Amino acid sequence: MTETKKILIITGDAGESFEVLFACHRLREAGYQPVIAAPAVKRMNLVIHDFEPGWDTYIERQGYGVESDLSFDEVDPADYHCLLIPGGRAPEFLRNDRRVINIVKTFYNSNKYIFAICHGVQILVTAGLVSGRKIACYEHVKFEVESCGGIYVTPDEAVQDGRIVTGKTWQSHPAFYQLVFACLEKVKAESPQVVLS
């Protein structure tokens, strides 16, 4: 038996329902253990962002609820292979939480992969990790990315720049998760398996 391959997911109330649940289900399907960290251990209220005819911007509806596994105070980045940051409105307020920024910087400084999609990129911006990097994100986060020295990638649904992988929206899941799982395969190859007796 090998050690559990844990992936940390950072989200909170108003996280994008489809991005959070898709990440959890897809990671479990591939044999990983997704662990959701939030401001507190509780049932979080996720949202659905979609587009409606006649609206100039996306609309927000109530989505599924999901339980967080631990609070940001309980996160030890050494316990996880990688970090995944879904979008929604949650990153808008989570980027102001010093615990979140410290977690993200610790992953980065430990040379671990960081995956962010849609508005999740706002947390990378606040952590100072976009400067000089190619970044895919929701188009209305472009200004923040470019203002902080990032290179907004227009045609690509997802892009990898070093150990950071970013995607535009939940519609980019196919391209985003191809890159995510290619990175996870590299982690698997780099990490010796622990055999339990």
Side-chain angles (χ1 to χ4, degrees):
M1 180 184 291
T2 57
E3 68 176 338
T4 304
K5 300 169 288 188
K6 294 198 290 187
I7 310 293
L8 185 68
I9 298 175
I10 286 180
T11 192
D13 283 331
E16 169 56 54
S17 183
F18 188 44
E19 290 173 8
V20 173
L21 294 176
F22 187 90
C24 289
H25 296 162
R26 185 66 188 88
L27 289 167
R28 282 192 195 107
E29 177 187 35
Y32 293 89
Q33 180 187 350
V35 178
I36 298 176
V41 177
K42 67 168 195 157
R43 184 165 178 79
M44 293 179 296
N45 303 292
L46 303 180
V47 299
I48 297 168
H49 286 162
D50 206 352
F51 294 91
E52 287 285 349
W55 284 63
D56 292 328
T57 187
Y58 61 84
I59 62 166
E60 182 173 288
R61 295 188 178 98
Q62 185 172 353
Y64 291 104
V66 70
E67 299 284 341
S68 56
D69 298 302
L70 71 170
S71 73
F72 297 140
D73 289 325
E74 299 171 285
V75 171
D76 181 353
D79 293 340
Y80 304 92
H81 287 288
C82 305
L83 171 64
L84 193 149
I85 310 169
R89 219 166 10 91
E92 178 184 294
F93 64 89
L94 293 179
R95 65 182 168 175
N96 297 308
D97 189 320
R98 182 49 46 193
R99 298 172 297 174
V100 170
I101 301 308
N102 289 339
I103 290 167
V104 172
K105 286 183 175 180
T106 300
F107 270 86
Y108 180 77
N109 292 332
S110 300
N111 207 29
K112 294 183 177 183
Y113 284 105
I114 299 174
F115 312 120
I117 191 164
C118 200
H119 283 86
V121 170
Q122 290 178 311
I123 292 175
L124 300 184
V125 169
T126 304
L129 300 181
V130 301
S131 182
R133 287 187 193 285
K134 293 178 184 174
I135 299 291
C137 60
Y138 181 58
E139 61 188 344
H140 294 296
V141 182
K142 172 186 175 183
F143 177 78
E144 294 174 51
V145 167
E146 292 183 335
S147 295
C148 292
I151 304 157
Y152 176 74
V153 179
T154 305
D156 300 334
E157 290 296 314
V159 67
Q160 179 177 354
D161 193 324
R163 294 236 168 197
I164 294 181
V165 173
T166 52
K168 288 189 173 184
T169 69
W170 54 258
Q171 293 165 320
S172 308
H173 276 165
F176 180 68
Y177 280 97
Q178 280 185 354
L179 293 176
V180 166
F181 282 99
C183 293
L184 292 176
E185 284 301 311
K186 289 179 186 172
V187 171
K188 196 185 297 183
E190 294 167 359
S191 303
Q193 298 295 316
V194 176
V195 180
L196 304 176
S197 54

